[in-house]
């Protein structure tokens, strides 16, 4: 599949859209942002996908966002407006350098960033009060850890089920725990 037709935005009752393993999919039409009932968006294995629609933050019902094996260098700023998002998974987006401020994702319970070798920061992480699970695996360029340590301290004290796994962070310069 090379493209998704623009008319997909007319499917107002669509709850789950799985475009996974769409290896040749290069672009997702902007009309996808009109899917007001969409709760799950799966884009794993979309190797040719270079970017998400800029207004993806209009998907106000979205609870699950899975991205993987793509060549995106950044996620749109509007991702930070997905206020009902509960789970975000970004796996082997090897060119991803930045993600937007996620501090307004107050429903986010699980965040998995794995194999994002060039990712340098996760802004807004310390403001996530519902976060239960954080996986950072193979994010070798990650350097700004102070915000993450605030999350660990807060959540450890007030939410006992929280766990954090930091693996393969070879270039972290320093970690301060207060």
């Amino acid at each position: 599949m090379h493209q998704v037709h623009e008319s997909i935005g007319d499917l107002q009752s669509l709850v789950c859209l799985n475009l996974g393993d769409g290896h040749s999919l290069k672009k997702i039409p902007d009309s996808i942002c009109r899917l007001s009932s969409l709760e799950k968006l799966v884009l794993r294995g979309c190797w040719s996908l270079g970017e998400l629609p800029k207004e993806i933050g209009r998907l106000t019902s979205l609870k699950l966002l899975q991205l993987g094996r793509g060549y995106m260098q950044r996620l749109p700023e509007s991702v930070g407006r997905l206020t009902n998002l509960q789970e975000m998974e970004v796996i082997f987006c090897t060119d991803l350098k930045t993600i937007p401020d996620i501090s307004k994702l107050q429903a986010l319970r699980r965040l998995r960033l794995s194999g994002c070798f060039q990712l340098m920061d996760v802004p807004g992480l310390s403001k996530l009060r519902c976060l239960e699970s954080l996986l950072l695996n193979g994010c070798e360029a990650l350097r700004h850890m102070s915000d993450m340590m605030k999350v660990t301290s807060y959540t450890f004290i007030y939410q006992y089920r929280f766990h954090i796994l930091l693996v393969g962070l070879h270039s972290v310069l320093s970690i301060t725990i207060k």
Side-chain angles (χ1 to χ4, degrees):
M1 170 174 47
H2 295 288
Q3 64 183 12
V4 176
H5 195 271
E6 192 72 30
S7 65
I8 195 163
D10 298 332
L11 303 174
Q12 294 299 307
S13 298
L14 188 66
V15 175
C16 179
L17 179 58
N18 186 342
L19 298 173
D21 294 322
H23 304 299
S24 58
L25 183 65
K26 293 182 181 187
K27 187 176 189 292
I28 297 174
D30 292 336
S31 66
I32 195 175
C33 301
R34 296 193 317 250
L35 298 175
S36 58
S37 299
L38 193 67
E39 294 180 6
K40 296 179 183 179
L41 179 57
V42 179
L43 299 169
R44 288 182 290 181
C46 297
W47 297 338
S48 300
L49 188 62
E51 63 184 11
L52 294 177
K54 289 181 181 174
E55 291 302 316
I56 197 162
R58 291 176 47 203
L59 297 175
T60 55
S61 297
L62 199 66
K63 293 179 182 176
L64 171 69
L65 177 60
Q66 292 181 331
L67 307 171
R69 304 230 183 251
Y71 293 101
M72 287 177 254
Q73 291 187 1
R74 63 178 190 81
L75 298 181
E77 289 295 319
S78 68
V79 166
R81 294 193 314 257
L82 295 170
T83 55
N84 287 314
L85 195 65
Q86 296 175 10
E87 185 173 346
M88 183 162 74
E89 193 174 278
V90 183
I91 300 172
F92 288 105
C93 290
T94 56
D95 293 341
L96 187 67
K97 295 177 183 174
T98 62
I99 63 172
D101 184 338
I102 59 172
S103 63
K104 293 182 181 170
L105 304 183
Q106 292 301 309
L108 195 64
R109 292 188 342 237
R110 293 182 50 183
L111 178 59
R112 181 177 180 195
L113 302 170
S114 182
C116 301
F117 304 120
Q118 296 186 43
L119 183 64
M120 296 183 72
D121 193 11
V122 185
L125 192 61
S126 67
K127 304 229 184 327
L128 301 178
R129 300 296 179 229
C130 292
L131 194 65
E132 296 172 2
S133 178
L134 172 63
L135 172 65
L136 300 170
N137 181 15
C139 299
E140 297 169 358
L142 198 58
R143 294 183 184 272
H144 305 288
M145 297 294 292
S146 59
D147 203 33
M148 291 178 210
M149 293 303 105
K150 291 176 191 171
V151 170
T152 307
S153 300
Y154 172 82
T155 311
F156 180 74
I157 293 168
Y158 296 106
Q159 297 178 10
Y160 298 106
R161 65 179 184 246
F162 182 85
H163 66 277
I164 182 169
L165 177 60
L166 303 173
V167 180
L169 304 176
H170 305 295
S171 62
V172 171
L173 300 176
S174 66
I175 297 175
T176 304
I177 300 175
K178 296 180 181 178

